[in-house]
């Protein structure tokens, strides 16, 4: 009887360790691999842009709440699309969605400074 109890405790301990390791790897993967991407879409004219963007993101991220957290900005004027924080797998999945035209990594740009700008202040 005691051997059986020890086996159950050992099995339970191993299971708990595996669950903990799985959670740690999932958290590390989701936070370290995320990068901001701009997703260009062909939105229907009669829909709210942000609602459409959340719908597209929800289909990949699994929930509206996750989509709202990932959505950074909805572009409505010069471009049709949104920026969001996505993992490489999510980028791959969203590229396959109907209405998605292009997915591009966001690259921060720096404005030129220096002597050229000094002339404007005189």
């Amino acid at each position: 009887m005691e051997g059986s109890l020890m086996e159950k405790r050992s099995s339970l301990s191993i299971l708990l360790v595996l669950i903990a390791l799985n959670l740690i790897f999932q958290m590390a993967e989701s936070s370290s691999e995320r990068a901001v991407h701009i997703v260009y879409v062909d939105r229907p004219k009669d829909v709210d842009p942000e609602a459409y963007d959340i719908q597209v993101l929800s289909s990949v991220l699994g929930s509206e709440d996750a989509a709202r957290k990932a959505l950074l900005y909805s572009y409505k004027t010069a471009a049709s699309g949104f920026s969001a924080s996505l993992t490489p797998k999510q980028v791959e999945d969203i590229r396959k969605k109907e209405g998605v035209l292009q997915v591009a990594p966001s690259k921060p740009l720096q404005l030129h400074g220096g002597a050229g700008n000094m002339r404007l202040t005189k």
Side-chain angles (χ1 to χ4, degrees), residues 112-122:
H112 293 283
N117 290 341
M118 299 290 278
R119 286 183 255 144
L120 296 175
T121 59
K122 289 185 179 179

Side-chain angles (χ1 to χ4, degrees), residues 57-117:
L57 273 172
S58 295
S59 69
V60 171
L61 302 182
S63 74
E64 190 174 311
D65 187 49
R68 289 187 185 281
K69 289 178 183 175
L71 182 68
L72 301 173
Y73 190 80
S74 286
Y75 299 100
K76 302 167 193 147
T77 307
S80 179
F82 58 90
S83 60
S85 178
L86 302 168
T87 66
K89 173 74 169 111
Q90 292 165 344
V91 169
E92 182 182 316
D93 291 345
I94 208 162
R95 279 192 171 118
K96 298 173 187 173
K97 293 295 176 184
E98 185 178 338
V100 172
L101 303 173
Q102 181 182 6
V103 182
S106 178
K107 298 177 185 172
L109 300 175
Q110 185 168 344
L111 297 176
H112 293 283
N117 290 341

